[in-house]
């Protein structure tokens, strides 16, 4: 990945690590339940959680795995995850720092790789998926969740602008067809995929990334002035003075290595 993108990620997440540990949207949800159900149905002895953030997915998988490696580019995030998981008594989790595009693990060393709410930060998703393929054993599974790209180009460009103003390390989210092409090109076979909706409370969502009051006001003005159909695509709720919430779609995918 480019140094500039790595710096953006580390700047954004380094200062927000504690907020990601306590974030209710990351701690639980239908998406995490579904990933874990896939993990239970597969053999999940050795699990790698790529871009672990506050460690919520690693923690969930620690309850079913023999060993979990929690992996992240941002050292302060990894430290926060370590504190979080130690406090929760998860003794079978190791912590390793690095980039998703260059995994420092031997070929075939994991049964399952998880990656939740993170791939939209990767400078090169194709490279990350190729690395995930390499470290999976034959028959192993990638269990992935991320924000789903919108099929409508205007709606997609609108949400990308909202996301980037809130978090400059956001690169972009991908549509189902794009995900399937990345996975197929890497040699992974999509076994199951579906879409769920996830609601975002505006104050919590903007606050977690430490937006200044001024940047937040400008973003709210941008949202208010956007075409109604773009706001409607994400179910934005506004009052006369503020933005209350919106809802985005998440893709969940299970892809296996032959
Ligand atoms: C929203 S958090 C992840 C949430 C977490 N997976 C969970 O389930 O709660 C996004 C994380 O991606 C990490 N990240 C972003 N780009 C990365 C990359 N190229 N390689 C590894 N980690 C990366 C960030 O440091 C951050 O901790």
């Amino acid at each position: 990945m480019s140094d500039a993108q790595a710096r953006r990620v580390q700047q954004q997440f380094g200062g927000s690590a504690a907020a990601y540990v306590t974030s209710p949207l990351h701690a639980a949800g239908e998406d995490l339940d579904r990933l874990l159900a896939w993990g239970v149905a597969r053999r999940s002895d050795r699990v790698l959680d790529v871009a672990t953030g506050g460690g919520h997915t690693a923690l969930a998988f620690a309850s079913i795995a023999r060993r979990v490696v929690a992996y992240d580019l941002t050292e302060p995030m990894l430290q926060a995850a370590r504190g979080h998981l130690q406090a929760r008594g998860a003794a079978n989790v190791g912590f390793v720092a690095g980039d998703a595009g260059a995994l420092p693990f031997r070929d075939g060393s994991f049964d399952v790789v998880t990656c939740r709410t993170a791939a939209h930060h990767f400078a090169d998703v194709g490279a990350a998926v190729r690395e995930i393929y390499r470290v999976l054993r034959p028959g192993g599974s990638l269990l992935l969740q991320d924000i789903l790209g919108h099929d409508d180009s205007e709606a997609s460009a609108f949400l990308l602008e909202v996301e980037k103003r809130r978090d400059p390390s956001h690169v972009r989210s991908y549509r189902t067809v794009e995900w399937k092409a990345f996975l197929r090109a890497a040699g992974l076979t999509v076994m199951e995929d579906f879409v769920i909706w996830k609601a975002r409370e505006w104050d919590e969502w903007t606050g977690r990334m430490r937006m200044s009051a001024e940047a937040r006001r400008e973003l709210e003005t941008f949202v208010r002035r956007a075409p109604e159909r773009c706001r409607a695509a994400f179910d934005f709720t506004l009052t006369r003075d503020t933005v209350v919430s919106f809802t985005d779609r998440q893709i969940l995918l299970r892809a296996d290595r032959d």
Side-chain angles (χ1 to χ4, degrees):
M1 91 161 7
S2 75
D3 290 350
Q5 175 59 10
R7 270 198 304 278
R8 274 193 289 272
V9 166
Q10 289 164 336
Q11 199 174 340
Q12 280 304 124
F13 287 98
S16 303
Y20 274 83
V21 168
T22 54
S23 162
L25 279 186
H26 291 78
E30 182 186 354
D31 60 325
L32 186 53
D33 293 346
R34 298 254 189 164
L35 292 181
L36 190 61
W38 274 335
V40 169
R42 308 292 295 158
R43 193 178 97 206
S44 301
D45 285 349
R46 301 163 302 165
V47 174
L48 171 65
D49 184 34
V50 172
T52 200
H56 298 287
T57 305
L59 178 64
F61 277 77
S63 65
I64 62 164
R66 188 161 47 79
R67 183 85 187 143
V68 177
V69 175
Y71 185 77
D72 202 282
L73 186 65
T74 308
E75 290 274 4
M77 191 59 108
L78 217 45
Q79 280 165 26
R82 186 196 298 272
H84 173 209
L85 269 61
Q86 278 173 356
R88 301 290 298 270
N92 57 341
V93 183
F95 298 85
V96 178
D99 175 13
L103 300 175
F105 307 106
R106 279 202 287 275
D107 296 1
S109 43
F110 295 98
D111 301 305
V112 162
V113 175
T114 54
C115 185
R116 175 173 174 248
T117 320
H120 56 273
H121 296 289
F122 298 169
D124 186 347
V125 170
V129 172
R130 284 192 295 280
E131 277 292 85
I132 289 169
Y133 173 89
R134 183 183 64 74
V135 303
L136 276 173
R137 67 163 167 82
S141 298
L142 165 62
L143 308 181
L144 179 125
Q145 176 266 11
D146 202 17
I147 303 164
L148 180 64
H150 204 287
D151 287 327
D152 178 278
S153 59
E154 197 184 12
S156 169
F158 162 70
L159 196 69
L160 182 61
E161 180 65 22
V162 172
E163 291 273 14
K164 277 184 177 289
R165 286 185 185 213
R166 177 237 183 197
D167 169 8
S169 76
H170 183 108
V171 175
R172 61 163 288 205
S173 51
Y174 301 93
R175 294 173 295 133
T176 304
V177 60
E178 293 175 296
W179 267 116
K180 288 186 173 173
F182 285 134
L183 297 166
R184 198 178 319 113
L188 291 159
T189 305
V190 176
M191 308 303 287
E192 295 178 75
D193 68 285
F194 56 89
V195 172
I196 61 172
W197 294 84
K198 200 158 189 169
R200 315 272 178 190
E201 295 303 322
W202 188 254
D203 286 352
E204 192 279 331
W205 191 71
T206 51
R208 183 158 16 98
M209 275 308 192
R210 298 166 290 131
M211 289 188 82
S212 68
E214 190 189 351
R216 194 173 133 163
R217 252 193 322 275
E218 284 171 10
L219 178 54
E220 290 176 355
T221 303
F222 173 77
V223 168
R224 206 172 278 287
R225 290 185 179 159
E228 164 59 23
R229 59 187 291 275
C230 289
R231 285 194 302 272
F234 301 100
D235 207 11
F236 268 84
T237 306
L238 279 64
T239 65
R240 211 166 59 87
D241 308 316
T242 188
V243 179
V244 178
S245 64
F246 71 98
T247 303
D248 61 8
R249 294 175 310 154
Q250 318 261 305
I251 184 166
L252 286 108
L253 280 162
R254 178 193 137 212
D256 290 358
R257 180 178 169 164
D258 291 341

